[in-house]
């Protein structure tokens, strides 16, 4: 049995510069495997592999690649060749790739399309990138509401242009308005002479072309759907969002949230090169640096406390660090909960109180443990009891503040229609550091009787 060819094996063959060996190696891989390897190759490596592929395999590999990377590959092709490749793809896939190509190149490619096909692609490209219209396929199979089961079955069997992903038959009236849906399973199990309107489901989920793609994915997940119809304001059927696009949205939105929360951009494409990565991370790290300066400035008034009790400085990192961790945990839970619909807007107060209570309980536990361990670290103080109280209560206060900030800020961002993922990372960490350490030193001045 021939061993599997991994990405490193293919990369070595590419670097060796022998097209025939590369072509033989590619014959051992399916289109999805080739696409996954190309996603991580350098541009010149992608071009070499692409040229080594048989012409009939190239569209399949292109369709399986990440859209951002596929757009880069298409941009390096001659317009006529690019149009030929994209012409073999589903319209929604071609539009998703072309939507990431610069305008000049886009016009050159569309010039090599038939007028009707180019117009159809332009209609898809006119929708917002992150909307249902932007990811839908206009190739949808619909039937009239007064046909019988037998007639509908015959139409499916004899259709010349049956869409690749047909999971449901959408039922329309004489004005092409969506009135029902019937699954293929139900179609083949129904009596042939029954009219479609007698067995179709009228309670169905649909979206408009302007619906956010994240909402589309949420509806598909909540109702266990593999396709969602897209309608206009008059409920006329425009297209359908199929399961492959829904899964792409889930992956894209999850990746975007994770990268935003880390302050590393919005797409994996932002991390592919030094320059792009530098530009994506610099603003967030600048915010973190500015936050650090604010922390230093806010603690200037407590220099006397540090001079009177130097041991306070030893526990600053753990107070700030534990608070930052709790703030990140709370904000991550809220951001992801908002994204998947687990956070109920009518119970926000209960959510904040729960997170603050968790912060208090965890702060008391770890604060007491650190206070008891302080003497083992060689910490000296004229008043060890009150120093332990400062550490314990300071930890509790810092983690309660962190939980409140980490929970409330994403909720506020969501209420203001701002992506709550941007509220995490440097913003939450800086806020927690400032407020937590201010509380810690204020508590020290009160419990230890430090003045000036």
């Amino acid at each position: 049995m021939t061993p599997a060819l991994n990405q490193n094996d293919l990369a070595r063959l590419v670097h060796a510069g022998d097209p025939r060996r590369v072509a033989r190696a590619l014959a051992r891989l399916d289109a999805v495997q080739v696409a996954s390897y190309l996603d991580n190759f350098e541009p010149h490596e992608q071009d070499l592999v692409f040229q080594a592929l048989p012409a009939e395999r190239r569209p399949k590999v292109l369709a399986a690649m990440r859209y951002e990377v596929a757009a880069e590959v298409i941009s390096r092709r001659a317009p006529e060749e690019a149009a030929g490749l994209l012409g073999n793809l589903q319209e929604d896939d071609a539009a998703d790739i072309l939507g990431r190509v610069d305008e000049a190149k886009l016009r050159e490619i569309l010039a090599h399309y038939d007028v009707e096909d180019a117009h159809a692609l332009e209609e898809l490209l006119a929708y917002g990138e992150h909307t249902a219209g932007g990811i839908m396929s206009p190739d949808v199979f619909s039937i009239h509401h007064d046909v019988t089961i037998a007639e509908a079955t015959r139409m499916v069997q004899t259709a010349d242009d049956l869409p690749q992903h047909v999971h449901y038959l959408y039922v329309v009236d004489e004005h092409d308005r969506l009135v029902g849906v019937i699954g293929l399973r139900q179609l083949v199990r129904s009596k042939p002479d029954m009219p479609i309107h007698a067995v179709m489901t009228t309670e169905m989920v649909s979206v408009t072309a302007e619906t956010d793609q994240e909402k589309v994915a949420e509806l598909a997940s909540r109702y266990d759907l593999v396709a969602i119809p897209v309608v206009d304001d008059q409920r006329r059927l425009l297209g359908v969002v199929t399961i492959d696009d829904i899964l792409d949205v889930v992956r894209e939105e999850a990746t975007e949230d994770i990268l935003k929360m880390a302050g590393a951009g919005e797409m994996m494409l932002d991390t592919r090169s030094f320059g792009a990565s530098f530009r994506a991370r610099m603003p967030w790290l600048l915010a973190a640096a500015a936050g650090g300066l604010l922390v230093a400035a806010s603690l200037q008034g407590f220099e006397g406390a540090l001079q009177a009790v130097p041991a306070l400085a030893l526990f600053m990192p753990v107070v700030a660090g534990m608070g930052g961790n709790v703030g990140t945990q709370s904000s991550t839970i809220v951001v992801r909960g908002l994204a998947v619909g687990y956070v109920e807007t009518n119970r926000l107060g209960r959510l904040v109180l729960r997170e603050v209570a968790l912060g208090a309980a965890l702060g008391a536990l770890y604060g007491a443990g650190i206070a008891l361990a302080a003497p083992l670290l060689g910490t000296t103080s004229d008043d060890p009891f009150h120093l332990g109280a400062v550490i314990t209560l300071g930890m509790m206060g810092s983690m309660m503040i962190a939980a409140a900030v980490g929970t409330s800020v994403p909720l506020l961002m969501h209420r203001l229609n701002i992506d709550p993922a941007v509220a995490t990372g440097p913003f939450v960490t800086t806020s927690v550091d400032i407020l937590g350490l201010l509380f810690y030193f204020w508590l020290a001045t009160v419990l230890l009787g430090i003045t000036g």
Side-chain angles (χ1 to χ4, degrees):
M1 182 175 180
T2 305
L5 185 78
N6 62 37
Q7 182 174 314
N8 292 332
D9 294 333
L10 182 59
R12 280 193 293 269
L13 292 175
V14 171
H15 293 157
D18 187 343
R20 287 180 297 179
R21 292 187 64 192
V22 172
R24 286 196 296 268
L26 292 174
R28 294 160 51 190
L29 302 171
D30 61 37
V32 174
Q33 290 174 316
V34 176
S36 66
Y37 293 168
L38 286 178
D39 281 340
N40 298 306
F41 277 8
E42 294 297 322
H44 70 279
E45 296 171 333
Q46 294 169 348
D47 291 340
L48 193 152
V49 171
F50 217 73
Q51 290 303 319
L53 284 167
E56 65 273 11
R57 294 193 69 194
R58 294 174 189 173
K60 296 179 181 179
V61 171
L62 190 70
M65 295 173 68
R66 290 203 303 264
Y67 294 136
E68 295 84 4
V69 183
E72 293 178 351
V73 172
I74 284 296
S75 296
R76 296 193 297 271
R77 308 264 82 75
E80 185 175 1
E81 180 187 357
L85 287 169
L86 294 170
N88 287 288
L89 271 58
Q90 297 291 318
E91 283 186 335
D92 57 327
D93 290 333
D96 284 330
I97 294 172
L98 287 172
R100 292 163 171 83
V101 173
D102 68 77
E103 189 67 24
K105 187 71 176 182
L106 172 63
R107 292 297 153 204
E108 292 177 357
I109 294 173
L110 290 179
H112 292 275
Y113 269 83
D114 293 336
V115 174
E116 185 178 342
D117 292 337
H119 180 67
L121 282 173
E122 287 177 331
E123 284 188 341
L124 287 178
L125 291 169
Y127 293 111
E129 181 181 355
H130 300 293
T131 64
I135 60 173
M136 75 176 182
S137 170
D139 193 14
V140 56
F141 195 86
S142 61
I143 53 177
H144 201 266
H145 67 98
D146 60 1
V147 302
T148 64
I149 293 293
E151 291 171 331
T153 303
R154 187 164 53 253
M155 292 169 63
V156 172
Q157 293 172 338
T158 60
D160 294 329
D161 55 350
L162 190 68
Q164 183 177 357
H165 301 289
V166 178
H167 306 286
Y168 310 106
L169 299 184
Y170 296 104
V171 185
V172 297
D173 62 13
E174 59 273 10
H175 302 292
D176 287 330
R177 291 177 300 202
L178 183 65
V179 294
V181 63
I182 180 172
L184 291 182
R185 181 176 183 273
Q186 186 179 6
L187 180 73
V188 299
R189 290 175 63 88
S190 299
K191 295 180 179 180
D193 58 343
M194 293 187 67
I196 282 288
H197 63 77
V199 295
M200 71 181 186
T201 300
T202 56
E203 293 184 4
M204 54 190 163
V205 177
S206 63
V207 296
T208 65
E210 291 74 31
T211 302
D212 188 89
Q213 63 175 18
E214 195 168 3
K215 181 66 175 178
V216 177
E218 179 188 336
L219 288 171
S221 174
R222 182 172 297 179
Y223 289 93
D224 294 327
L225 300 174
V226 294
I228 294 184
V230 182
V231 298
D232 64 11
D233 294 336
Q234 305 299 318
R235 288 195 62 77
R236 290 189 293 263
L237 192 60
L238 299 176
V240 62
V241 180
T242 53
I243 186 64
D244 56 330
D245 294 306
I246 291 168
L247 291 176
D248 286 340
V249 170
V250 171
R251 181 185 63 184
E252 179 183 326
E253 293 291 341
T255 301
E256 180 181 313
D257 284 348
I258 291 170
L259 291 176
K260 281 185 177 180
M261 290 166 65
E266 296 185 10
M267 299 184 298
M268 288 302 295
L269 193 64
D270 296 337
T271 67
R272 285 180 62 84
S273 67
F274 177 87
S277 185
F278 182 86
R279 290 189 297 271
R281 299 186 194 188
M282 185 183 68
W284 298 102
L285 293 178
L286 177 62
L293 292 176
L294 287 174
V295 173
S298 64
L299 297 180
Q300 282 186 340
F302 297 102
E303 292 177 349
L306 284 173
Q307 292 175 354
V309 186
L312 290 173
L314 298 177
F315 300 98
M316 287 173 56
V318 70
V319 170
M322 293 293 283
N325 286 331
V326 168
T328 301
Q329 289 174 346
S330 297
S331 59
T332 301
I333 290 171
V334 172
V335 168
R336 196 59 193 152
L338 289 170
V340 299
Y342 287 166
V343 173
E344 300 180 26
T345 55
N346 60 341
R347 296 184 178 181
L348 299 184
R350 183 182 301 179
L351 174 63
V352 174
L353 288 176
R354 188 198 70 186
E355 289 298 314
V356 171
L358 279 171
L362 292 169
L365 175 65
Y366 285 102
I370 293 171
L372 291 173
L376 302 178
L377 301 176
T379 303
T380 58
S381 172
D382 295 335
D383 192 348
F385 176 78
H386 283 102
L387 176 61
V390 169
I391 296 171
T392 302
L393 296 177
M395 184 77 73
M396 286 182 62
S398 175
M399 293 173 75
M400 290 173 66
I401 291 170
V405 171
T407 306
S408 302
V409 171
L411 292 174
L412 177 62
M413 293 283 193
H414 180 69
R415 184 66 59 87
L416 297 175
N417 292 322
I418 301 173
D419 190 344
V422 303
T424 57
F427 187 87
V428 168
T429 302
T430 299
S431 302
V432 168
D433 285 348
I434 293 174
L435 297 174
L437 289 176
L438 282 175
F439 177 79
Y440 172 67
F441 278 103
W442 170 81
L443 194 65
T445 60
V446 172
L447 295 183
L448 298 177
I450 300 172
T451 59

